[in-house]
């Protein structure tokens, strides 16, 4: 998930972070709790290259994941769902963006 990637890279891969239109900085050390409500905006920079054999998420699985995320009861559940998807597939370009809206 974006939070896990952010923690792994000490916040260096999160740029222009805003929560509810207010700027903040992802912490360089320690943990950050994903809020349960609000609008999180950021520019994400992938610092580590994807593996050559990374498989894109099939269309049907992506639609199912989007449905599950829209029904999630908290930010933590949404983050867990996205993390599970990232463990199985490479989320590229528009697919990743669609999960965040």
């Amino acid at each position: 998930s974006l939070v896990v990637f952010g923690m792994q890279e000490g916040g260096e891969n999160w740029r222009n972070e805003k929560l509810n239109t207010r700027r903040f900085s992802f912490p360089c050390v320690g943990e950050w709790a994903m809020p349960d409500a609000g609008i999180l905006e950021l520019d994400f920079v992938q610092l580590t290259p994807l593996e050559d054999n990374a498989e894109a998420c099939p269309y049907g699985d992506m639609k199912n994941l989007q449905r599950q995320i829209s029904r999630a009861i908290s930010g933590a559940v949404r983050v867990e769902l996205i993390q599970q998807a990232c463990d199985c597939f490479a989320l590229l370009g528009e697919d990743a963006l669609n999960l965040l809206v």
Side-chain angles (χ1 to χ4, degrees):
S1 78
L2 290 174
V3 174
V4 172
F5 288 139
M7 284 192 245
Q8 288 172 345
E9 299 293 337
E12 291 299 314
N13 49 8
W14 281 39
R15 311 283 166 84
N16 305 313
E17 305 96 321
K18 293 181 188 176
L19 182 59
N20 297 324
T21 69
R22 297 184 74 189
R23 301 261 327 177
F24 74 96
S25 292
F26 192 91
C28 294
V29 294
E31 293 192 18
W32 183 73
M34 175 69 91
D36 289 335
I39 298 174
L40 175 64
E41 299 175 80
L42 61 100
D43 297 319
F44 179 79
V45 179
Q46 177 70 34
L47 298 175
T48 54
L50 293 173
E51 297 177 15
D52 288 339
N53 61 352
E55 185 179 331
C57 187
Y59 178 80
D61 291 343
M62 179 59 67
K63 286 297 180 189
N64 185 34
L65 177 60
Q66 288 172 318
R67 232 180 349 270
Q68 290 178 19
I69 289 171
S70 71
R71 295 177 183 160
I73 59 173
S74 71
V77 172
R78 288 188 291 275
V79 167
E80 179 63 28
L81 290 169
I82 294 171
Q83 184 176 15
Q84 289 174 7
C86 289
D87 289 343
C88 298
F89 301 104
L91 299 180
L92 306 173
E94 196 168 310
D95 287 339
L97 291 174
N98 287 334
L99 295 178
L100 300 175
V101 293

